[in-house]
Amino acid sequence: LDLPDTDPFEVARDAAGRIAELTGVERHDIALTLGSGWGKAADLLGETVAEVPAAEVVGFSAPAVPGHVGSLRSIRLANGKHALVIGARTHYYEGHGVRRVVHSVRTAAATGASVMVLTNGAGGIKEHWTPGTPVLISDHINLTADSPLEGATFVDLTDLYSSRLRGLAREVDASLDEGVYVQFRGPQYETPAEVQMAKTIGGHIVGMSTALEAIAARQAGMEILGFSLITNLAAGIQKTPLSHAEVIEAGKNAEGVIGELLARVVASL
Ligand code: 6GU
């Protein structure tokens, strides 16, 4: 994937072939990337058909961050559909390039998935969002200054985070709030001034993933549902310093509730 002459879509097709071989499931209908705090959903979605270490599939690698999983799981939902749960996310801040970041999304599309569910743990800009609040992503602002699209690939991003799917999610939980996700490069958290900038330009949630993946998912023709778990308020909004331990802790405390929520939403898709 790192070589300029490699076709990333061909690598994604190879990865999808390998997943079919390892799981025995020829086709997946829906794919989910589970970020910080969302892992529990995998246990609640349905019956696990197979779980494979991501490192056995081309283009994937073992997780770089403690608290992230590193496996691919094929799950049969109660309605007979097959979900591919991606517990292995490559973050942009790892510095392996954007192709590696979006490989899981392109692989999901190559397995046949038409719906991509992207989840993350993120910082909140709205003060009433206490840690543990799940928020629907309504749109994004990509501040990475990068793109998964190569060359003159002009892709429309209107209704990127499907209003149809958001509507279905709100039928499960009418109290779900939504907000605009701002992807920063990371891995440092934002300064209070950067958080104020994000707020001024229309952002409500700050994080280090998802936007680049959503662009690749749209290019692949998938319908996208995005969820952030607010693990903390962003710098300057929250008065105490931020820590990765705090993010993991908030995820652990919320995982039962948001896992249940996500499982019910996926069952309704
Ligand atoms: Cl405050 N910022 C970013 N970029 N990512 C986060 C976060 C904040 N809190 C959790 N993840």
Side-chain angles (χ1 to χ4, degrees):
L1 269 182
D2 303 335
L3 306 171
D5 288 343
T6 303
D7 174 0
F9 298 96
E10 194 178 316
V11 183
R13 285 192 294 274
D14 289 347
R18 183 86 175 120
I19 288 169
E21 188 176 279
L22 289 169
T23 62
V25 179
E26 268 312 307
R27 214 191 134 75
H28 287 87
D29 304 289
I30 168 169
L32 302 95
T33 296
L34 300 183
S36 298
W38 293 93
K40 192 93 191 158
D43 299 328
L44 304 170
L45 283 171
E47 173 211 339
T48 296
V49 177
E51 180 162 13
V52 304
E56 285 183 24
V57 180
V58 62
F60 288 82
S61 43
V65 181
H68 295 161
V69 192
S71 73
L72 304 171
R73 223 158 126 172
S74 180
I75 296 177
R76 220 179 96 91
L77 308 180
N79 61 15
K81 288 186 181 177
H82 287 94
L84 179 67
V85 173
I86 302 162
R89 179 179 245 152
T90 300
H91 285 88
Y92 189 66
Y93 58 68
E94 291 171 47
H96 302 302
V98 73
R99 281 184 174 186
R100 288 273 296 276
V101 172
V102 303
H103 177 62
S104 57
V105 166
R106 288 179 173 155
T107 298
T111 68
S114 58
V115 170
M116 186 73 228
V117 181
L118 297 169
T119 67
N120 58 59
I125 294 181
K126 293 192 178 179
E127 276 166 68
H128 67 273
W129 285 341
T130 51
T133 305
V135 178
L136 278 169
I137 301 175
S138 59
D139 203 347
H140 80 223
I141 297 172
N142 169 18
L143 291 188
T144 65
D146 209 337
S147 169
L149 310 179
E150 300 177 25
T153 313
F154 304 109
V155 170
D156 171 64
L157 299 182
T158 307
D159 198 36
L160 183 60
Y161 299 87
S162 163
S163 43
R164 184 183 81 86
L165 297 184
R166 275 185 279 145
L168 291 176
R170 257 190 256 95
E171 279 178 28
V172 170
D173 181 353
S175 74
L176 269 173
D177 229 336
E178 27 177 80
V180 173
Y181 181 92
V182 184
Q183 181 175 2
F184 282 86
R185 181 196 182 280
Q188 73 282 1
Y189 296 116
E190 301 72 31
T191 63
E194 288 165 345
V195 171
Q196 283 308 308
M197 175 191 74
K199 183 176 178 178
T200 301
I201 63 178
H204 308 110
I205 310 161
V206 286
M208 305 178 193
S209 67
T210 303
L212 293 170
E213 295 157 45
I215 295 167
R218 166 57 65 88
Q219 179 189 31
M222 303 165 97
E223 203 173 4
I224 300 153
L225 179 63
F227 270 109
S228 288
L229 170 69
I230 303 301
T231 56
N232 52 274
L233 293 181
I237 310 279
Q238 161 176 309
K239 296 306 168 203
T240 52
L242 277 52
S243 73
H244 183 62
E246 170 192 28
V247 170
I248 299 297
E249 176 72 13
K252 278 211 167 59
N253 292 338
E255 67 183 3
V257 172
I258 62 171
E260 190 80 36
L261 167 68
L262 187 54
R264 288 175 59 201
V265 170
V266 168
S268 79
L269 299 180

